[in-house]
C-alpha cells in the first residue's frame, strides 16, 4: 500500500438501539426490509407501536401519523401481526430518514423509559 492510500474499513454494524439512533443508520446485517405504514389505511390505534420490540423502538406518533423509522426497524413483523387493519408493508425501496424526523425521534427518546 502506498503512503497516500487509505485502508478503508467498513464500520461495524449498528447493533444497539443507541448506535442506530446516534448514527442514523440501519444494521447492515439485517436481511429483511424495514416496514412502512400506509397513512391512508392507518386508523391510528397505536397497536403497532406497542408491539414493536423495545430493542428496536422503530414506531412513533408524529402528528396525526404513525410512522416507522426504517433505520430502526429490523423487519421482524411484530407490528404487522398487531395491526387490526393490515396497513403495514415491507419497504424494499426505503429512503433515509430526514433530519427533521431524527430530531423528533431523539426528542421522544429523552422521555422514554428503557429497561436496558
Amino acid at each position: 500500500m502506498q503512503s497516500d492510500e487509505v485502508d478503508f474499513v467498513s464500520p461495524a454494524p449498528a447493533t444497539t438501539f443507541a448506535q442506530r439512533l446516534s448514527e442514523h443508520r440501519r444494521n447492515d446485517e439485517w436481511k429483511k426490509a424495514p416496514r412502512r405504514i400506509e397513512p391512508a389505511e392507518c386508523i391510528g390505534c397505536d397497536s403497532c407501536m406497542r408491539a414493536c420490540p423495545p430493542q428496536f423502538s422503530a414506531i412513533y406518533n408524529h402528528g396525526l401519523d404513525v410512522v416507522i423509522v426504517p433505520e430502526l426497524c429490523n423487519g421482524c413483523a411484530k407490528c404487522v401481526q398487531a395491526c387490526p387493519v393490515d396497513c403495514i408493508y415491507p419497504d424494499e425501496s426505503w429512503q433515509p430518514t430526514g433530519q427533521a424526523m431524527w430530531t423528533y425521534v431523539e426528542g421522544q427518546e429523552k422521555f422514554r423509559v428503557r429497561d436496558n
Side-chain angles (χ1 to χ4, degrees), residues 10-88:
S10 63
T15 56
T16 68
F17 176 80
Q19 286 175 313
R20 294 188 303 277
L21 184 63
S22 69
E23 297 173 15
H24 298 183
R25 70 180 176 106
R26 201 163 188 265
N27 184 325
D28 299 331
E29 294 178 350
W30 290 343
K31 303 299 181 210
K32 295 180 182 178
R35 303 294 168 154
R36 70 173 180 80
I37 297 172
E38 181 57 48
E41 299 172 15
C42 179
I43 60 173
C45 69
D46 296 341
S47 293
C48 57
M49 191 164 39
R50 290 187 301 276
C52 185
Q55 66 268 33
F56 303 113
S57 295
I59 306 175
Y60 294 84
N61 278 317
H62 189 246
L64 296 176
D65 294 326
V66 180
V67 297
I68 298 175
V69 177
E71 291 88 348
L72 301 177
C73 176
N74 78 334
C76 74
K78 300 273 187 205
C79 58
V80 174
Q81 297 165 3
C83 182
V85 294
D86 297 325
C87 69
I88 304 173

